[in-house]
């Protein structure tokens, strides 16, 4: 599947790859959409609590309870132009899934639209980033995810930041909310090529100060924005595959979304695991989609 045909041809080709369950505010067809949402139900490299493959539709169900008019922005979300392609089929081979994600996002990028990808585990982000050069990457994550390989797999979800560094190069990635890093990762010579901002640092310095630091790091660059739900404290987002205490507040993450949505050319939300959720995590993920779109449009 390529990205060189007309938007109509691309839409037809894309739809052949997806099952279909629609986000309530996704009222646009592909041609007229500015945002293209799709799910990737994959969690085969998850190392603790599996189930993130179920999350795209749980997020859609939660979203169904939100008002389409976002009062904080005085904005009607359907006016943004959203197309929901549904979900990719369930596959077990991570390399095949990454190839599918790479192909789908390449088409969306080539058509000058913004992909919004719902995971699934964090490894799927690698597929989207493969299409990108000369951009920076903003990650929300409890874990550094900087192992070169884990469980004999270089595409394990514990390796996503390392693989994205391979693609984007040094000083291109900032990860916020870090509070879990192995000695192996910390001692890697490449570790300092990524800027890791701990959740403790955010707590001590305040989100406004951190936003200014992130702004300085990102500068005028476009960014790819990836949110691992475990970056948020389990009090706000309990339904994740690898929870870590002492995380970011949900409102801090909202502040980051608001500051950087306009610079974002792609966005994903990953690692939500509905089997362990009380409903808060899927609702928060759904609300963050609205925050991303509304703040980007206003």
């Amino acid at each position: 599947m390529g990205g060189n045909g007309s938007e109509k041809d691309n839409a037809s080709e894309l739809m052949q790859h997806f099952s279909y369950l629609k986000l309530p505010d996704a009222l646009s067809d592909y041609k007229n959409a500015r945002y293209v949402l799709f799910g990737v139900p994959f969690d085969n490299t998850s190392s603790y609590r599996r189930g993130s493959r179920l999350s795209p539709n749980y997020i859609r169900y939660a979203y169904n309870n939100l008002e389409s008019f976002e009062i904080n922005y005085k904005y009607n979300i359907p006016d943004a132009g959203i197309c929901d392609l549904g979900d990719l089929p369930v596959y077990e081979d991570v390399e095949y899934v990454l190839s599918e994600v790479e192909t789908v996002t390449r088409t969306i990028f080539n058509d000058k639209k913004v992909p919004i990808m719902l995971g699934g585990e964090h490894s799927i982000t690698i597929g989207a980033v493969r299409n990108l050069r000369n951009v920076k990457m903003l990650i929300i994550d409890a874990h550094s995810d900087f192992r070169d390989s884990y469980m004999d797999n270089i595409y394990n979800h514990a390796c996503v930041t390392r693989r994205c560094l391979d693609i984007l190069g040094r000083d291109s990635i900032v990860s916020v909310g870090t509070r879990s890093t192995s000695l192996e990762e910390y001692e890697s010579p490449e570790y300092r090529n990524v800027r890791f901002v701990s959740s403790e640092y955010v707590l001590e310095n305040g989100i406004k100060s951190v936003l200014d630091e992130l702004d300085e790091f990102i500068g005028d660059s476009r960014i790819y924005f990836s949110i691992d739900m475990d970056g948020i404290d389990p009090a706000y987002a309990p339904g994740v595959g690898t929870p870590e205490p002492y995380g970011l507040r949900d409102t801090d993450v909202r502040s980051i979304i608001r500051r950087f949505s306009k610079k974002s050319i792609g966005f994903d939300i990953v690692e939500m695991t509905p089997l362990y959720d009380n409903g808060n995590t899927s609702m928060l993920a759904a609300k963050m989609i609205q925050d991303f779109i509304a703040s980007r449009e206003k």
Side-chain angles (χ1 to χ4, degrees):
M1 197 172 74
N4 298 320
S6 69
E7 286 192 5
K8 181 177 180 180
D9 291 341
N10 288 341
S12 298
E13 193 171 355
L14 280 172
M15 293 306 295
Q16 294 175 15
H17 287 246
F18 290 89
S19 62
Y20 202 74
L21 179 62
K22 195 174 183 181
L23 196 79
D25 287 344
L27 304 181
S28 294
D29 58 17
Y30 181 84
K31 180 180 179 180
N32 295 303
R34 294 197 297 278
Y35 300 89
V36 180
L37 182 140
F38 66 97
V40 185
F42 175 77
D43 61 6
N44 200 38
T45 80
S46 294
S47 52
Y48 183 30
R49 306 195 306 196
R50 289 193 177 180
S52 62
R53 70 186 182 280
L54 304 173
S55 67
N57 283 338
Y58 273 81
I59 294 171
R60 290 184 179 98
Y61 291 142
Y63 192 108
N64 193 53
N65 195 51
L66 298 175
E67 296 288 353
S68 295
F69 178 69
E70 221 305 324
I71 185 63
N72 295 299
Y73 305 91
K74 309 297 189 293
Y75 187 76
N76 192 42
I77 301 293
D79 292 344
I82 307 166
C83 173
D84 186 348
L85 296 174
D87 292 350
L88 284 168
V90 177
Y91 299 112
E92 296 298 318
D93 185 333
V94 64
E95 293 190 47
Y96 183 78
V97 170
L98 293 184
S99 177
E100 285 286 281
V101 171
E102 180 182 5
T103 300
V104 169
T105 51
R106 183 191 307 125
T107 300
I108 297 169
F109 284 133
N110 284 350
D111 288 336
K112 310 301 181 186
K113 304 175 190 297
V114 178
I116 297 176
M117 178 167 65
L118 306 181
E121 64 179 45
H122 211 170
S123 58
I124 64 173
T125 299
I126 301 167
V129 173
R130 282 176 175 173
N131 294 295
L132 304 177
R133 299 295 183 274
N134 302 316
V135 304
K136 292 189 175 179
M137 185 175 184
L138 173 57
I139 305 171
I140 304 294
D141 202 328
H143 309 87
S144 56
D145 285 348
F146 206 73
R147 285 178 165 89
D148 192 42
S149 177
Y150 192 63
M151 299 173 68
D152 297 320
N153 191 338
I154 65 171
Y155 297 117
N156 187 282
H157 75 144
C159 308
V160 61
T161 306
R162 183 65 174 267
R163 296 287 79 80
C164 290
L165 176 67
D166 293 343
I167 297 166
L168 298 177
R170 63 181 301 168
D171 300 324
S172 293
I173 302 174
V174 57
S175 185
V176 184
T178 318
R179 53 196 185 274
S180 177
T181 301
S182 68
L183 181 62
E184 168 199 347
E185 294 168 286
Y186 187 75
E187 292 184 340
S188 167
E190 303 293 318
Y191 185 81
R192 273 89 195 154
N193 290 336
V194 172
R195 182 169 181 180
F196 291 102
V197 180
S198 71
S199 55
E200 184 174 0
Y201 184 88
V202 176
L203 179 63
E204 291 177 349
N205 292 274
I207 190 61
K208 292 183 179 179
S209 175
V210 171
L211 288 173
D212 291 340
E213 292 183 34
L214 295 176
D215 232 341
E216 184 177 355
F217 177 86
I218 291 169
D220 295 328
S221 297
R222 300 172 303 156
I223 64 171
Y224 184 87
F225 196 163
S226 178
I227 297 182
D228 184 323
M229 292 298 290
D230 66 34
I232 303 163
D233 193 274
Y236 306 102
V240 297
T242 47
E244 289 284 343
Y246 312 130
L248 299 171
R249 294 183 301 180
D250 56 350
T251 50
D252 288 344
V253 175
R254 181 182 63 178
S255 295
I256 297 172
I257 293 171
R258 286 177 171 178
R259 178 70 71 94
F260 297 106
S261 61
K262 285 183 169 62
K263 293 184 177 180
S264 300
I265 62 172
F267 181 64
D268 67 48
I269 297 176
V270 297
E271 296 283 349
M272 203 279 279
T273 306
L275 297 175
Y276 300 90
D277 192 21
N278 59 8
N280 289 359
T281 318
S282 54
M283 183 58 72
L284 178 57
K287 192 62 183 178
M288 289 193 300
I289 295 172
Q290 286 197 335
D291 271 301
F292 176 75
I293 293 172
S295 62
R296 197 174 186 276
E297 289 294 312
K298 293 297 285 185

